[in-house]
Amino acid sequence: MSELLADRREALIAAARGAMDTAYAPYSGFHVGAALLFEDGAIVTGANFENASYGLSLCAETVACAIAAHAGRRGGLLAVAVLGGIGGHVGAAISPCGRCRQILNELAALGGTDPLVLCVGDHEVAEMRLSVLLPNAFGPANLA
């Protein structure tokens, strides 16, 4: 882990935890928060937003990526923290779903990074690179 990541790890996890508190999850009751760390030290957060038409729900990671893109961030993604649980209580470590892995890959590919993903649980944090979670990913380079 780079020095920047080591210095910002707890702040990134705390930001994801804070984002989880803003989740809108009236159907599943499963609140998720995500935080993205960029090279300049900025942290962008997102929370899941459910919909009565379940397939239209948005995951926390997708929301965070959309907020980052809206702010003009097109690269420099260093790390992602994600956590969640029933009723806003962090449970076992979770990882981004397949859709979110693909969306994170798109954002990371824009800056040529392979971000560290922190899967945060109540008593553990699993750390792995996005390329491990999404091997042989399809991305912008495949369209060139």
Side-chain angles (χ1 to χ4, degrees):
M1 182 182 329
S2 76
E3 185 175 310
L4 174 62
L5 290 178
D7 290 348
R8 299 297 308 234
R9 184 177 187 270
E10 292 309 313
L12 186 64
I13 292 170
R17 193 176 305 274
M20 183 179 71
D21 293 339
T22 69
Y24 176 72
Y27 308 107
S28 72
F30 197 88
H31 298 228
V32 180
L36 313 176
L37 173 64
F38 290 88
E39 287 174 335
D40 65 359
I43 294 176
V44 176
T45 63
N48 58 322
F49 188 87
E50 293 182 349
N51 189 283
S53 177
Y54 298 135
L56 298 179
S57 295
L58 298 172
C59 297
E61 302 91 326
T62 297
V63 170
C65 286
I67 291 170
H70 178 71
R73 295 191 174 278
R74 298 287 190 272
L77 181 61
L78 294 181
V80 178
V82 60
L83 51 78
I86 299 293
H89 301 287
V90 177
I94 60 171
S95 69
C97 72
R99 176 178 181 240
C100 288
R101 292 174 191 194
Q102 185 64 40
I103 289 174
L104 288 164
N105 180 69
E106 185 81 14
L107 183 58
L110 293 174
T113 62
D114 186 10
L116 185 65
V117 179
L118 307 175
C119 305
V120 181
D122 190 28
H123 301 291
E124 71 279 350
V125 178
E127 297 182 2
M128 63 207 76
R129 293 286 169 186
L130 181 59
S131 61
V132 172
L133 286 172
L134 188 64
N136 304 310
F138 181 85
N142 296 103
L143 300 176

